[in-house]
Amino acid sequence: MKRIKINIDTDQMPEELRYLFKGADIYDSSCSPEARVFFIDRDGGYFLKSAPKGTLEREAVMDRYFYKKGLGARVAEYLCLDGRDWLLTERVPGEDATHPAYIENPKKLAERSAEILRQLHGLDFSDCPVKDRISEYFRTVRENYEKGQTDLSFGNFSSVEEAYRTAMEGRSLLKGDTLIHGDYCLPNFLMDNWRFKGFIDLGNGGVGDRHIDIFWGVWTLKYNLKTDAYGDRFLDAYGREKINKDALRAVSACECFG
């Protein structure tokens, strides 16, 4: 997990959170332009994420749910102030799966990431607060198609129209029958010497279809390992009997509009 030590003007922070910065080393741990993430090195460590108003509310809800199930970080604070959301979570022990110790053993990493995902997908979700990720998922597809927001790199499609048609035709294949992470990439789960410790970045989680996570599980290995040599190993370790190729292709089409 990237951490760059920085100096910070605490006057720019919410008054309710300034006490955290006193006497602590601060690191920038951001990995996307949508949100700023600070690591605060005190009392075991905290991560403070800041993003536009309303964008972290779902993540706070799902973080609390996963923590209750022993699968993630404890939410210390969620605030909406001055047009921004602030989400403070305690550090989960271990390192995310992009750490060199894991990347340097890609075969084991592919198998371990599949095992962790299958265990997640086998959990009871009857008390999950986010009940219908599928409807939201396809609503985003339609909205982004209409806006022209498309990235065909997520699927093997010759045109935007082919990708959209495949996504819509695949709607009936995706079921809301599994607790999913929603963004199952290597930076978003942590291990300690290969022992699973917890999930982070759960804003897309909820009750959805396993193929969404499976798609991202394959994609992240290719992206982070700079090769597509380990996707089949991931699928074998997850269990081919659990995977519908047409559903997986539908997800790849949907993600062109994600």
Side-chain angles (χ1 to χ4, degrees), residues 130-163:
V130 179
K131 302 292 187 184
D132 186 9
R133 283 289 294 119
I134 298 301
S135 294
E136 297 174 352
Y137 191 62
F138 279 92
R139 184 163 58 248
T140 298
V141 170
R142 287 191 297 270
E143 290 175 352
N144 286 345
Y145 169 72
E146 291 169 358
K147 294 175 183 176
Q149 296 180 3
T150 311
D151 184 350
L152 293 182
S153 69
F154 288 107
N156 184 23
F157 302 101
S158 59
S159 68
V160 170
E161 294 304 325
E162 182 192 4

Side-chain angles (χ1 to χ4, degrees), residues 160-173:
V160 170
E161 294 304 325
E162 182 192 4
Y164 185 68
R165 182 173 64 252
T166 302
M168 291 298 103
E169 290 175 350
R171 173 65 179 85
S172 62
L173 298 175

Side-chain angles (χ1 to χ4, degrees), residues 124-223:
D124 174 67
F125 57 85
S126 58
D127 59 343
C128 181
V130 179
K131 302 292 187 184
D132 186 9
R133 283 289 294 119
I134 298 301
S135 294
E136 297 174 352
Y137 191 62
F138 279 92
R139 184 163 58 248
T140 298
V141 170
R142 287 191 297 270
E143 290 175 352
N144 286 345
Y145 169 72
E146 291 169 358
K147 294 175 183 176
Q149 296 180 3
T150 311
D151 184 350
L152 293 182
S153 69
F154 288 107
N156 184 23
F157 302 101
S158 59
S159 68
V160 170
E161 294 304 325
E162 182 192 4
Y164 185 68
R165 182 173 64 252
T166 302
M168 291 298 103
E169 290 175 350
R171 173 65 179 85
S172 62
L173 298 175
L174 302 191
K175 312 297 182 183
D177 60 1
T178 306
L179 177 61
I180 66 171
H181 181 286
D183 187 14
Y184 189 69
C185 295
L186 295 181
N188 290 342
F189 65 95
L190 294 100
M191 297 184 288
D192 182 6
N193 193 27
W194 298 98
R195 293 187 299 273
F196 171 74
K197 302 301 291 185
F199 297 107
I200 60 173
D201 288 347
L202 290 157
N204 291 317
V207 180
D209 189 286
R210 70 179 65 245
H211 294 89
I212 297 172
D213 281 346
I214 293 169
F215 169 85
W216 284 112
V218 173
W219 182 90
T220 190
L221 289 171
K222 180 178 180 179
Y223 179 82

Side-chain angles (χ1 to χ4, degrees), residues 19-20 43 45-48 59-60 62-68 70-78 87-93 197-200 202:
Y19 73 94
L20 288 164
D43 304 329
Y46 294 91
F47 284 95
L48 178 63
E59 185 171 341
M62 290 306 300
D63 278 357
R64 289 187 174 110
Y65 178 67
F66 271 61
Y67 175 74
K68 184 174 70 173
L71 299 172
R74 188 183 79 85
V75 175
E77 191 73 77
Y78 168 66
L87 177 61
L88 180 70
T89 55
E90 294 179 353
R91 174 181 175 267
V92 175
K197 302 301 291 185
F199 297 107
I200 60 173
L202 290 157

